[in-house]
Amino acid sequence: MCGVAGVLRWDGQNESIAVQDMVSALSHRGPDAEECNHLGPITLGHRRLSIIDLNAAANQPMHDAEGRGAIVYNGEIYNYRELRDELRGVGEMFSTDSDTEVLLKGLARYGESFLPRVIGMFALAFWDIRKNKLLLARDRLGKKPLYYFETSLGVVFASELTSLRRYQDVPNDINPNAIVGFLSVGYTPTSECIINDVKKLPPGHVAIVEKGKPVQIKTWWDLPQLVRDRKIWNSFDEAVEYLDELIDKSVKCRMISDVPLGAFLSGGIDSAVVVNAMRRGAGTSTLNTYTMSFADKSFDEGPAAHETAESQGVDNYQRTVALDFATTLPEIIRFCDEPFADTSIIPFYHLSSFASEKVKVALSGDGGDELFAGYETYVADKLHRTARMFPSCFLNAAGSLSNSFLKPSFQKVGLDYKVRQFLSGCHLPANEAHYHWRNIFNDEQIIQMLNQRQMAGNGAGTFQMTEPHMKMIGGDDWLTRYQYFDIKTWLVDDILVKVDRMSMAHSLEVRTPFLDHRLVEFALSIPENWRLKGLKKKHIFKCAARRRLDAKIINRPKSGFGAPVSSWLLGPLRDLARAATSSAQIANWIEPSAVENLWREHETRKQDHGYRLFTLTCLGLWLEQHT
């Protein structure tokens, strides 16, 4: 795991000083080594977190001995040994035991056509000396980030926006569309960057940069096409057997490491399955797992994680989330690059810090809900198909009554919140309803809150920013359509941003076995009712898990990894949040009266506005830092 940065200038100017400054902003991503090289028109920079082949010979930028190219990359290639053997078979020679050299040789020989053979997570820049061409590429699911900006003389790129913005030509203007997207869902979509004209390379894509030509963006992994070409299974049991084998295979290859390795363990089934597979393939009697606890028992997964650890025979270490928000929350927002408001980012920041005291690599259970329909939103989608048969007036009345009679619980996604959110979206078309289930502020609320001077001329609805993903899965396969949409939005721009930024803030590499592309392709190609059977979520996954886990672990109610911000906003978070939501910077975007109304209703417990106030708090903190 590392940080990359670089500047391509077709006039050949050496940008080593600028790139050195850019990589210095990435020291948390790679504390073990730093280097910059100027090669023809390009200057490449790298910060290294040494995980595989710890020798200095494996440092980057790495140059091909035959003079064909150079590479900087962030990530891990799990099948690099098999690829190295294949490349040796066609005459390639290796001087290190690193996965970096395998990527370098493969790209030098085959160009971007080598990428589909790679199993791993990565963001890379490969300079092809022979063709005078730069390749920027990102892994299939977008586990590793890559920002870039086109200049009049070439392109500048970096692992993080903070690093990119250190280059003098990168603008500083805020993108209003990104603000709108953030207010809607608590993160900025891939299609928008918080800074105008800066772009994020989409997952599964490669950017080709050549002199005198516009940057060409190409898809190298097409999940919708793979779904359309789905395999026909002989039986459900056959698919369960295959899934069981895939899980072991995915976890085992992610245990390759030359440094200490552990796992995150919550009270849920996903991390428990990962830990079980690690124990099967570890070849050792000990495995350290890490859990964050909360003083608020409705959010605390500590006892359940301890029970799982005992059943699996692993050591579990727990720590309670510290409530020093005045110090940690501004730091968390700084590491996020862009405004970000998933409440789980707070415990994940502390969890990464905790684990990094003992290990440099941790496996997590992220991705299981997206793959196997584990979210309540998919149940809501199914219920919506029935609810739509009722007249709109009836649904609107039901929504109004729910607001009157359901008192806010201030607990983790309580029944009151679920009912209100469902009824408020029942009148919408199916695709928009699915988007609505995760809304923090809807379009009407955003329009009412925004300072119109900032938003003049901005008429785009928030759903329209991501709607193209809905159209990639056609026909009646509604569950696959919404799962694919969540993979391209919620997973990429929320879950994986959280995992990458918070783990890298502590120089910790996190690996996600469920996001092995073979598992993703399998999950979205099986029949819908194998994933969501009636209203039972993750049906096939739980059937496979029964081979590994006790029934009481599998049958636990889903908890999630949120934080009790609704209560915190009335206590330890209140002063910081009040200041952040009333600053001059946020008042430039959000009408103060709208913010004060949310606070008034929340503090009197008339409504639970925890998510909304936390979203505005994070925006306010980011705007203060940006200014």
Side-chain angles (χ1 to χ4, degrees):
M1 208 56 72
C2 309
V4 304
V7 177
L8 172 64
R9 287 182 61 120
W10 294 115
D11 64 1
Q13 179 173 311
N14 188 332
E15 291 282 21
S16 293
I17 294 176
V19 173
Q20 186 77 43
D21 186 43
M22 292 169 68
V23 295
S24 69
L26 300 170
S27 58
H28 53 285
R29 298 186 76 92
D32 298 329
E34 176 185 314
E35 191 171 340
C36 293
N37 291 162
H38 179 66
L39 184 66
I42 196 166
T43 308
L44 299 172
H46 189 261
R47 293 288 311 214
R48 186 182 183 198
L49 177 64
S50 303
I51 302 294
I52 294 174
D53 190 350
L54 309 184
N55 294 320
N59 289 350
Q60 302 176 43
M62 184 176 286
H63 299 259
D64 177 43
E66 289 75 29
R68 295 174 293 180
I71 192 172
V72 288
Y73 112 95
N74 165 30
E76 297 292 351
I77 306 305
Y78 304 121
N79 65 332
Y80 79 98
R81 290 171 178 163
E82 294 87 346
L83 292 173
R84 184 177 58 199
D85 290 342
E86 292 178 19
L87 290 167
R88 278 177 173 157
V90 293
E92 296 290 346
M93 305 290 289
F94 293 85
S95 58
T96 73
D97 190 35
S98 70
D99 56 340
T100 304
E101 191 174 15
V102 172
L103 263 184
L104 173 61
K105 299 286 187 179
L107 291 168
R109 177 172 285 270
Y110 299 112
E112 63 265 29
S113 65
F114 182 68
L115 296 174
R117 297 160 68 178
V118 172
I119 299 173
M121 55 180 177
F122 58 85
L124 65 85
F126 171 71
W127 175 244
D128 191 323
I129 295 175
R130 297 163 302 172
K131 297 181 179 179
N132 211 35
K133 178 172 71 174
L134 174 66
L135 297 181
L136 301 174
R138 197 171 173 204
D139 65 63
R140 294 171 176 86
L141 275 301
K143 300 166 197 170
K144 295 292 103 185
L146 193 60
Y147 291 85
Y148 69 97
F149 173 72
E150 297 178 54
T151 71
S152 59
L153 293 170
V155 67
V156 54
F157 61 88
S159 293
E160 295 183 3
L161 182 59
T162 304
S163 171
L164 189 81
R165 289 173 64 189
R166 290 202 174 192
Y167 189 69
Q168 60 183 0
D169 289 350
V170 176
N172 205 37
D173 301 331
I174 294 177
N175 175 7
N177 284 337
I179 294 284
V180 170
F182 169 74
L183 290 172
S184 177
V185 288
Y187 56 83
T188 56
T190 297
S191 60
E192 304 290 340
C193 179
I194 193 63
I195 300 299
N196 269 328
D197 299 323
V198 172
K199 299 174 183 177
K200 292 176 271 194
L201 185 65
H205 284 69
V206 59
I208 302 170
V209 187
E210 297 180 274
K211 189 174 183 179
K213 299 180 181 179
V215 175
Q216 182 183 8
I217 308 296
K218 293 173 59 177
T219 301
W220 68 267
W221 185 62
D222 187 354
L223 181 55
Q225 184 59 50
L226 292 164
V227 170
R228 287 189 286 271
D229 295 339
R230 67 184 61 184
K231 174 181 176 179
I232 303 300
W233 295 92
N234 293 322
S235 68
F236 178 78
D237 289 342
E238 178 192 23
V240 171
E241 185 72 32
Y242 183 75
L243 171 58
D244 196 51
E245 294 173 0
L246 263 184
I247 291 170
D248 279 336
K249 186 183 298 184
S250 177
V251 170
K252 184 176 181 180
C253 76
R254 281 162 179 77
M255 295 183 70
I256 299 172
S257 177
D258 293 329
V259 296
L261 179 146
F264 295 152
L265 183 62
S266 68
I269 183 175
D270 297 340
S271 62
V273 166
V274 169
V275 166
N276 173 273
M278 291 177 75
R279 287 286 287 116
R280 287 187 182 188
T284 177
S285 58
T286 61
L287 174 64
N288 293 340
T289 63
Y290 301 89
T291 304
M292 290 308 297
S293 298
F294 289 101
D296 186 327
K297 298 304 178 184
S298 71
F299 285 78
D300 186 22
E301 296 186 90
H306 177 74
E307 186 178 50
T308 298
E310 283 197 328
S311 74
Q312 294 301 309
V314 299
D315 296 326
N316 182 239
Y317 299 91
Q318 298 194 13
R319 183 175 291 175
T320 302
V321 172
L323 304 184
D324 53 340
F325 296 116
T327 301
T328 57
L329 188 55
E331 183 174 340
I332 286 170
I333 297 303
R334 180 172 62 84
F335 279 117
C336 288
D337 264 350
E338 301 185 73
F340 192 86
D342 186 330
T343 64
S344 67
I345 203 163
I346 296 173
F348 204 90
Y349 172 87
H350 290 285
L351 178 61
S352 297
S353 175
F354 181 31
S356 70
E357 295 171 7
K358 299 291 184 181
V359 299
K360 290 184 76 171
V361 179
L363 272 65
S364 82
D366 292 293
D369 289 322
E370 286 81 5
L371 267 60
F372 298 103
Y375 289 125
E376 295 287 352
T377 52
Y378 302 126
V379 173
D381 290 324
K382 198 163 194 175
L383 293 175
H384 178 266
R385 297 164 71 86
T386 300
R388 286 288 290 166
M389 293 187 296
F390 292 93
S392 296
C393 59
F394 174 84
L395 297 174
N396 291 333
S400 299
L401 287 172
S402 70
N403 286 327
S404 301
F405 290 102
L406 285 174
K407 300 301 181 183
S409 65
F410 282 66
Q411 294 181 348
K412 180 188 285 190
V413 193
L415 176 63
D416 59 300
Y417 177 84
K418 294 177 183 177
V419 171
R420 284 196 192 93
Q421 196 75 350
F422 177 74
L423 290 176
S424 65
C426 266
H427 68 286
L428 296 170
N431 289 352
E432 290 187 47
H434 178 77
Y435 179 85
H436 172 82
W437 307 144
R438 292 196 188 278
N439 265 180
I440 297 170
F441 294 102
N442 62 37
D443 285 356
E444 182 179 350
Q445 291 165 336
I446 291 172
I447 291 171
Q448 291 173 350
M449 288 194 334
L450 284 171
N451 183 317
Q452 295 304 308
R453 291 173 300 168
Q454 292 285 6
M455 300 309 299
N458 181 74
T462 54
F463 173 65
Q464 283 68 36
M465 295 182 189
T466 52
E467 185 180 17
H469 297 307
M470 287 285 191
K471 301 175 181 178
M472 298 304 294
I473 305 292
D476 297 327
D477 199 348
W478 63 270
L479 180 58
T480 303
R481 180 184 309 120
Y482 299 147
Q483 286 183 261
Y484 175 76
F485 178 84
D486 288 348
I487 287 171
K488 299 296 287 185
T489 55
W490 168 256
L491 179 69
V492 171
D493 297 319
D494 185 296
I495 301 300
L496 293 178
V497 168
K498 173 191 70 179
V499 171
D500 175 80
R501 303 307 194 278
M502 295 301 97
S503 61
M504 286 286 91
H506 301 286
S507 305
L508 177 73
E509 176 175 304
V510 174
R511 300 173 178 177
T512 50
F514 292 131
L515 296 183
D516 186 299
H517 71 279
R518 295 165 296 186
L519 264 170
V520 177
E521 292 166 7
F522 164 81
L524 265 66
S525 66
I526 58 177
E528 288 185 9
N529 63 352
W530 290 4
R531 287 169 265 157
L532 183 64
K533 185 177 182 180
L535 300 182
K536 296 179 180 178
K537 305 181 294 293
K538 301 172 84 166
H539 174 56
I540 190 171
F541 183 77
K542 289 181 178 179
C543 287
R546 290 191 184 101
R547 304 179 176 202
R548 305 166 181 270
L549 306 176
D550 296 340
K552 60 183 177 181
I553 298 175
I554 296 173
N555 295 330
R556 281 181 193 143
K558 180 174 174 57
S559 178
F561 193 50
V565 294
S566 294
S567 298
W568 286 348
L569 285 162
L570 300 176
L573 183 54
R574 184 181 183 277
D575 290 346
L576 176 67
R578 269 289 192 176
T581 57
S582 61
S583 67
Q585 290 86 351
I586 198 169
N588 198 36
W589 289 90
I590 308 295
E591 293 293 344
S593 59
V595 178
E596 187 55 37
N597 185 55
L598 292 174
W599 273 111
R600 184 169 53 254
E601 292 188 345
H602 189 78
E603 290 175 335
T604 59
R605 293 182 175 266
K606 182 179 180 181
Q607 293 289 338
D608 182 354
H609 291 307
Y611 291 143
R612 290 170 178 166
L613 287 170
F614 185 72
T615 297
L616 294 174
T617 298
C618 293
L619 177 60
L621 291 172
W622 186 90
L623 288 169
E624 289 176 23
Q625 294 171 2
H626 172 80
T627 303

